[in-house]
Amino acid sequence: MKNYTERDKKHLWHPLTQHGLNPDHLPLVSARGSYLYDDRGKAYIDGISSWYTCMYGHCNPEITSRVKQQLDQLDQVVFSGFTHPPAIELSEKLVEILPEGINKIFFSDNGSTSVDVAIKMALQYHFNRGEKRNKIVALENAFHGDTFGAMSVSGLSVYNGPFEDFLLEIERIPVPDDLNMDALEMRFKQILEDQDVAAFIFEPLVQGAAAMHMYPAAHLDVLMELARSHGALTIADEVMTGFGKTGRNFASDYLKEGPDIICLSKSLTAGVAPMALTCCSQNVFGAFYDKEVSKGFFHGHTYSANPLACAAALAGMDLLATETIQDSIQRIAERHLQFEAEVKKHPMVKSTRSLGVIFALDLDIETERYGNLRDRLYRFFMDQGVFLRPLGNTIYLLPPFTIAEQELTLLYASILNCLEMLSHE
Ligand SMILES: *Cc1c(COP(=O)(O)O)cnc(C)c1O
């Protein structure tokens, strides 16, 4: 009994989906390397690494073998009162590569919870020190996740209506650019002076959900320095940018001074298991360290530091450190730059940007004229055997580090085909 698409509709409620519009969900039955395979055997190149998770390719035996080993050793334990080698090793490996000063690792289950944890940490940090600071400053068009704290700091969600009365107190500032920076600096300073700001949260250098919008590290340095000098903690949400995607291990590595707190998830476990980390400095940890129980951080998830997820993360980090993967990241970055130089001359292209393995282009078209552009682009690419998720009029790539030269060529070719198709309308 196959017929997955029809059976799916019976009991399943999919994320980010209006089922009333009667969408079909394509059944995928296997994946390997850069490819996804549907139930009829059609292959699709995974051009966005399944939402930036499977950066070492799907079902990579170097990852899965380590998880299988762990599965026969220790499957799951309570992480309160117990500890275990995979979590310990992971913390040691992470602290080696995390920005200077970040040396405490707190586990949770997904990107949103890593942000909620960061926000709670920041609020309690001040509370424990006897200061009442209630405001969080976040960037416009930010995306930090879908739980209440993460949703509060996100500026993108147009579907937050039902929850607006229940969100945290947020002050939102524009994303810095060369034109607005002077005014922004003044405005941010004013906010920091007038209000009790607990923390400043941002996606460093690349706002993923805002169609891979990029902004310069130097401007972020200025804003972070302002926050620091007013006693607010800085929170870098590297759930998307973490682990090599920007060309360095972390986007924060481009900054002059690291943040106080870093959120990690997505490719942390190489796409094998859900897990997230909120990593912080000794200074943050120190505000919780006391003989008084109530000053502790009373937040915990049942599956915190699941050993299988830790094993996957360790395998992923070992791969990331190899010359093969590091060379690959540089190779993809260079090919993106070459493609960018070529494609930006196309009359259908308004602008392009790239950083590390991230490439994005904006189409020079009025979306209204093209009907449901996003769905049409999505279907065009899928027909060509390429899985991409265009956002508005932006097409972007974030391929696995392990993608082969000819597979990358196919991704670029499909984009060129798409531009041709659009220019003949
Ligand atoms: C995806 C994402 C999140 C949310 O992570 P989930 O695992 O989907 O909850 C938060 N922040 C950023 C920057 C993300 O890209």
Side-chain angles (χ1 to χ4, degrees):
M1 192 171 74
K2 278 202 178 166
N3 193 16
Y4 293 123
T5 305
E6 286 316 306
R7 281 162 64 199
D8 171 275
K9 286 188 179 153
K10 222 165 161 187
H11 303 299
L12 290 173
W13 189 343
H14 285 263
L16 313 171
T17 300
Q18 173 48 274
H19 284 272
L21 293 172
N22 205 25
D24 279 350
H25 287 86
L26 178 68
L28 296 178
V29 292
S30 64
R32 184 143 291 245
S34 308
Y35 286 94
L36 306 168
Y37 299 94
D38 72 15
D39 60 340
R40 278 178 278 177
K42 186 171 160 79
Y44 308 87
I45 302 180
D46 188 350
I48 60 162
S49 309
S50 287
W51 264 344
Y52 341 130
T53 57
C54 303
M55 297 309 295
Y56 311 94
H58 289 272
C59 299
N60 184 330
E62 301 201 45
I63 311 270
T64 53
S65 65
R66 301 260 301 260
V67 176
K68 285 174 191 163
Q69 261 176 32
Q70 184 59 47
L71 189 53
D72 287 329
Q73 187 72 33
L74 178 68
D75 49 0
Q76 158 71 6
V77 285
V78 173
F79 202 58
S80 180
F82 293 124
T83 190
H84 52 73
I88 295 167
E89 260 176 70
L90 180 59
S91 68
E92 291 166 350
K93 283 225 163 99
L94 272 163
V95 168
E96 260 173 52
I97 65 165
L98 280 167
E100 176 109 22
I102 301 283
N103 62 7
K104 286 285 169 188
I105 313 291
F106 189 93
F107 286 91
S108 66
D109 300 337
N110 58 71
S112 306
T113 55
S114 78
V115 168
D116 272 37
V117 166
I119 292 170
K120 284 177 72 175
M121 254 183 204
L123 293 171
Q124 192 180 340
Y125 166 87
H126 296 291
F127 183 89
N128 281 359
R129 291 154 48 103
E131 264 190 84
K132 199 166 159 56
R133 289 180 179 240
N134 286 347
K135 272 265 158 60
I136 312 280
V137 177
L139 294 179
E140 281 171 8
N141 299 325
F143 179 74
H144 296 291
D146 288 338
T147 51
F148 266 88
M151 181 169 57
S152 300
V153 283
S154 295
L156 257 187
S157 324
V158 281
Y159 305 115
N160 275 354
F163 318 112
E164 251 153 36
D165 292 347
F166 308 99
L167 300 180
L168 301 174
E169 286 178 44
I170 306 300
E171 189 73 45
R172 213 167 288 290
I173 58 171
V175 182
D177 61 39
D178 292 344
L179 297 176
N180 72 6
M181 194 52 201
D182 288 342
L184 175 55
E185 221 181 307
M186 293 217 311
R187 164 135 179 242
F188 191 31
K189 207 167 170 181
Q190 200 64 53
I191 292 170
L192 289 160
E193 277 165 14
D194 293 353
Q195 305 183 44
D196 299 319
V197 176
F200 168 42
I201 186 169
F202 47 85
E203 296 155 90
L205 275 51
V206 190
Q207 294 185 300
M212 298 295 160
H213 179 78
M214 297 181 189
Y215 65 97
H219 294 333
L220 183 55
D221 277 327
V222 172
L223 298 180
M224 287 172 72
E225 177 48 36
L226 270 176
R228 257 193 297 271
S229 65
H230 287 81
L233 295 178
T234 51
I235 304 172
D237 177 355
E238 295 229 26
V239 168
M240 193 283 285
T241 50
F243 300 103
K245 300 190 196 82
T246 62
R248 301 204 189 160
N249 282 337
F250 302 100
S252 295
D253 293 338
Y254 289 90
L255 298 169
K256 272 212 217 98
E257 221 178 302
D260 299 295
I261 300 176
I262 296 190
C263 303
L264 299 170
S265 187
K266 291 209 162 105
S267 69
L268 164 67
T269 60
V272 170
M275 186 167 78
L277 304 171
T278 306
C279 315
C280 72
S281 65
Q282 189 63 42
N283 172 45
V284 172
F285 181 73
F288 294 76
Y289 189 87
D290 205 276
K291 296 278 178 241
E292 210 178 296
V293 176
S294 66
K295 284 203 169 175
F297 190 49
F298 285 89
H299 183 113
H301 296 281
T302 311
Y303 277 93
S304 285
N306 171 258
L308 303 176
C310 289
L314 280 166
M317 285 186 64
D318 283 350
L319 278 181
L320 180 65
T322 61
E323 220 176 292
T324 316
I325 292 294
Q326 286 299 320
D327 288 351
S328 214
I329 291 173
Q330 297 316 320
R331 165 182 62 92
I332 297 166
E334 276 159 36
R335 289 211 57 198
H336 277 353
L337 288 174
Q338 286 164 14
F339 179 63
E340 188 179 8
E342 177 191 343
V343 81
K344 77 201 251 186
K345 293 180 222 142
H346 196 286
M348 296 307 291
V349 175
K350 184 163 78 189
S351 56
T352 58
R353 54 201 169 274
S354 75
L355 180 68
V357 302
I358 308 167
F359 167 83
L361 69 78
D362 301 326
L363 296 167
D364 192 12
I365 53 180
E366 297 157 41
T367 33
E368 305 81 49
R369 240 195 73 210
Y370 286 80
N372 197 341
L373 181 71
R374 196 221 148 262
D375 288 357
R376 285 189 47 213
L377 294 176
Y378 175 78
R379 261 181 261 120
F380 178 86
F381 287 119
M382 288 298 275
D383 285 345
Q384 303 226 333
V386 166
F387 169 53
L388 296 180
R389 280 180 66 99
L391 284 162
N393 63 348
T394 303
I395 298 171
Y396 71 91
L397 301 175
L398 207 160
F401 300 146
T402 47
I403 193 166
E405 285 292 310
Q406 66 273 23
E407 292 163 358
L408 198 49
T409 305
L410 283 173
L411 286 181
Y412 297 141
S414 72
I415 291 181
L416 292 174
N417 289 342
C418 175
L419 295 174
E420 281 316 297
M421 179 269 290
L422 289 170
S423 57
H424 289 300
E425 293 198 351

